[in-house]
């Protein structure tokens, strides 16, 4: 895990995980019981209108900050420290090898020198951070360091949203890193979790992403061009609703009686086929020839029968990622039944909230 902490200080105080996507903002707050069990203290979601966030960019700052303010109020939390994230497309990451034994100042100088070779902007234009991963696999006298950099305006947008909503941004992470942290707990509980090749698919509104992991190492990443918005378009064409009506009826399960057979079933089969093709592309473009398990996350992951359809078409076991699995549900969680139903949508927000315990 890495945070782009240049404009922020790090604290171990209670922390809100705030995940801002193109279609919604998710909030998660975690605590820990005396026996070490994680406790889901707060959990809430606020839907965003189309066009407010586009490709990770904040197009309607005032509207998004007001939505975030409503979300914080709705959650009932008193915590004001927040962890947010940028999409991977907004962050440049690079692993480098440096001599072991450098003090902090020497390490910073070396990182800046190395970073200038990989970042296509002046270092004055970016927020830069790094973390030491550990000893280098190739040399006992060297260490591996992960560098992360993003344009300052991208960082300032997320910082500004939090501050406009009355929050104090403490950590700025990368969405894919936060999702992996959250998914790590689930992978450990899988049969043969150690050494297992796991494909984590996040099915978003307008697009999806796939990360293939083995023992916390990401061996493959790729974005996909399918998402839940395609289901909304099918509903519009089938029933003549407006996009807004279709989205609302889909979210509230208020669709006509033939929806499951006429619209949902074909869409699930189509999505399962897309996921199967994404796995085949992974096999043909890498040296790997197996996937042991598929974890689905995102708003469309919990579609009825999707895991079964994916398993059937890919030949790989598949389940929906529930980041709250094994947690105690606190009294501050409203509509706990709906929260558990939509749990896969909160994977990234949960990973951000988990940063509280890694400070």
């Amino acid at each position: 895990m890495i945070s782009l902490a240049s404009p922020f200080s790090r604290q171990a105080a209670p922390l809100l995980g705030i995940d801002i996507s193109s279609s919604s903002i998710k909030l998660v707050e975690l605590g820990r019981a005396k026996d070490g069990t994680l406790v889901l203290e707060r959990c809430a979601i606020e839907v965003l209108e189309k066009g407010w966030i586009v490709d990770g960019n904040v197009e309607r700052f005032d509207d998004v900050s007001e939505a975030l303010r409503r979300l914080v109020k709705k959650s009932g939390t008193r915590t004001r420290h927040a962890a947010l994230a940028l999409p991977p497309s907004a962050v440049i990451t690079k692993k480098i090898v440096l001599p072991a034994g450098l003090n902090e100042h020497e390490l910073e100088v070396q990182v800046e020198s190395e970073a200038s070779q990989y970042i296509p902007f002046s270092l004055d234009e970016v927020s830069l951070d790094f973390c030491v991963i550990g000893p280098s696999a190739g040399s006992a006298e060297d260490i591996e360091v992960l560098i992360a950099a993003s344009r300052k305006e991208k960082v300032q947008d997320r910082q500004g949203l939090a501050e406009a909503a009355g929050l104090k941004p403490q950590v700025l992470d990368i969405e894919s890193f936060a999702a992996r942290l959250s998914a790590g707990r689930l992978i450990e509980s899988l049969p043969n979790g150690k050494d297992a090749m796991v494909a984590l698919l996040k099915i978003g509104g307008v697009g999806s992403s796939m990360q293939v992991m083995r023992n916390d190492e990401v061996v493959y990443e790729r974005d996909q061009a399918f998402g839940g918005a395609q289901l909304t378009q099918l509903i519009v064409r089938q029933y003549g609703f407006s996009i807004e009506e279709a989205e609302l009826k889909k979210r509230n399960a208020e669709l006509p009686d033939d929806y499951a057979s006429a619209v949902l079933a074909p869409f699930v089969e189509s999505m399962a086929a897309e996921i199967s093709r994404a796995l085949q592309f992974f096999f043909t473009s890498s040296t790997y020839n197996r996937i042991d398990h598929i974890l689905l996350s995102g708003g469309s992951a919990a579609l009825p029968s999707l895991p079964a359809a994916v398993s059937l078409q890919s030949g790989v076991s598949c389940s929906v990622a529930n980041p709250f699995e094994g947690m105690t549900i606190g009294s501050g969680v409203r509509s706990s039944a709906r929260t558990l139903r939509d749990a896969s949508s909160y994977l990234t927000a949960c990973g951000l909230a988990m940063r509280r315990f890694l400070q």
Side-chain angles (χ1 to χ4, degrees):
M1 295 297 294
I2 189 169
S3 66
L4 307 183
S6 303
F8 310 146
S9 62
R10 304 184 184 190
Q11 293 194 22
L15 195 65
L16 299 176
I18 306 289
D19 174 27
I20 302 173
S21 70
S22 60
S23 59
S24 63
I25 309 177
K26 277 80 67 177
L27 176 152
V28 170
E29 182 176 2
L30 300 177
R32 199 188 288 278
K34 291 181 179 179
D35 63 358
T37 303
L38 289 174
V39 179
L40 178 60
E41 303 281 9
R42 307 282 176 181
C43 181
I45 187 170
E46 183 74 17
V47 175
L48 300 180
E49 292 189 19
K50 186 177 180 181
W52 288 8
I53 301 284
V54 179
D55 296 330
N57 298 315
V58 183
E59 301 294 338
R60 300 280 292 271
F61 184 93
D62 290 343
D63 290 323
V64 176
S65 63
E66 179 58 33
L68 178 54
R69 191 180 296 111
R70 288 196 303 270
L71 176 65
V72 172
K73 183 178 180 179
K74 179 167 64 176
S75 75
T77 184
R78 293 184 178 181
T79 296
R80 288 298 176 261
H81 292 154
L84 298 93
L86 285 168
S89 59
V91 186
I92 299 169
T93 59
K94 181 70 177 178
K95 286 183 181 179
I96 61 173
V97 175
L98 294 176
L102 298 176
N103 63 39
E104 188 172 347
H105 175 71
E106 292 170 333
L107 198 55
E108 289 178 359
V109 171
Q110 287 282 349
V111 164
E112 288 195 5
S113 176
E114 291 284 338
S116 63
Q117 302 177 42
Y118 303 108
I119 299 172
F121 317 108
S122 165
L123 291 185
D124 292 338
E125 300 176 21
V126 301
S127 292
L128 176 68
D129 196 17
F130 66 92
C131 70
V132 177
I133 299 173
S136 169
S139 170
E141 298 179 354
D142 295 322
I143 54 173
E144 253 191 2
V145 178
L146 181 62
I147 301 174
S150 181
R151 296 292 293 263
K152 284 184 176 177
E153 59 262 31
K154 304 282 188 183
V155 173
Q156 289 164 355
D157 271 351
R158 289 299 193 272
Q159 183 182 19
L161 284 175
E163 291 174 345
L167 301 177
K168 298 177 181 178
Q170 301 296 306
V171 173
L172 187 60
D173 210 326
I174 304 169
E175 289 172 1
S176 56
F177 282 50
R180 292 201 294 269
L181 177 62
S182 190
R185 294 176 57 251
L186 309 179
I187 293 172
E188 288 176 359
S189 65
L190 291 173
N192 303 317
K194 181 175 172 55
D195 295 327
M197 296 285 291
V198 177
L200 174 61
L201 279 119
K202 179 182 179 182
I203 306 170
V206 296
S208 302
S209 62
M210 184 170 79
Q211 303 179 71
V212 179
M213 299 173 288
R214 181 175 180 270
N215 293 339
D216 296 328
E217 179 187 1
V218 178
V219 301
Y220 176 84
E221 289 185 86
R222 188 167 188 262
D223 292 333
Q224 315 290 332
F226 58 86
Q230 293 170 1
L231 176 57
T232 304
Q233 292 290 348
L234 290 175
I235 294 170
V236 169
R237 287 203 293 269
Q238 182 75 12
Y239 302 112
F241 299 138
S242 68
I243 290 178
E244 292 77 14
E245 285 178 314
E247 191 64 42
L248 186 62
K249 289 179 181 295
K250 180 178 74 171
R251 192 177 305 117
N252 294 331
E254 297 173 345
L255 289 157
D257 293 340
D258 68 343
Y259 164 70
S261 58
V263 179
L264 182 60
F267 176 77
V268 164
E269 289 300 313
S270 175
M271 180 167 285
E274 291 284 358
I275 292 172
S276 185
R277 279 193 286 271
L279 293 178
Q280 290 303 317
F281 190 86
F282 162 65
F283 295 140
T284 58
S285 61
S286 72
T287 59
Y288 298 95
N289 58 12
R290 82 172 207 273
I291 290 289
D292 298 311
H293 193 80
I294 300 168
L295 274 176
L296 303 178
S297 69
S300 298
L303 288 174
S305 72
L306 180 59
V310 171
S311 292
L312 184 63
Q313 294 211 29
S314 66
V316 179
S317 64
C318 177
S319 62
V320 177
N322 176 4
F324 307 137
E325 187 176 303
M327 293 186 188
T328 299
I329 307 300
S331 59
V333 177
R334 302 172 185 177
S335 304
S336 58
R338 180 163 187 171
T339 294
L340 294 176
R341 188 188 72 194
D342 299 336
S344 61
S345 299
Y346 291 95
L347 191 73
T348 298
C350 191
L352 291 169
M354 289 171 67
R355 287 298 305 267
R356 171 183 181 180
F357 309 110
L358 299 178
Q359 302 297 325

